[in-house]
Amino acid sequence: MIILDSLLIGGIRFVLDKIATAVDAELNDETALRDELLAAQMRLELGELTDGQFRVIEVDVLARLREVRDRRQGAGTASLSGDYRITGVDATVEGDEHS
């Protein structure tokens, strides 16, 4: 029973570590933001966007880029970079017990 519990907790810990890593990578990914800005510039040049629409997108993307850089430098109020540890998991099992 102890082996099963430790396997279950280890599996949950592994999944939560992977989720935390993916969230951290997504929050700090400047490449996707630069690609979004480049795509907006291309749409502006092709006439698919007006200057006003482009400016709205540009302001939003540049603000998000600043947030990413602030998080990397530690100036952001909510920094998610660093190591994460799962300190505990609560689990209950209900049902018939056979002795």
Side-chain angles (χ1 to χ4, degrees):
M1 191 71 158
I2 292 174
I3 294 172
L4 181 62
D5 291 343
S6 60
L7 287 174
L8 179 65
I9 291 171
I12 291 172
R13 180 179 182 176
F14 174 78
V15 169
L16 292 176
D17 284 341
K18 292 298 178 185
I19 290 171
T21 302
V23 167
D24 190 43
E26 185 69 27
L27 281 174
N28 295 316
D29 185 21
E30 288 184 15
T31 306
L33 294 172
R34 288 183 186 146
D35 289 345
E36 185 178 340
L37 186 58
L38 181 61
Q41 288 173 336
M42 291 172 63
R43 290 178 61 201
L44 176 67
E45 291 176 9
L46 293 173
E48 295 176 3
L49 290 177
T50 64
D51 285 335
Q53 292 169 326
F54 174 75
R55 290 186 199 286
V56 169
I57 294 170
E58 182 183 36
V59 166
D60 179 54
V61 171
L62 292 177
R64 290 188 288 164
L65 277 169
R66 275 188 222 99
E67 289 173 5
V68 168
R69 289 186 182 140
D70 287 347
R71 271 195 301 273
R72 282 190 181 159
Q73 295 174 354
T77 57
S79 179
L80 292 177
S81 61
D83 292 333
Y84 295 95
R85 289 188 68 168
I86 297 173
T87 58
V89 175
D90 291 330
T92 59
V93 177
E94 295 181 11
D96 295 334
E97 290 188 28
H98 298 283
S99 300

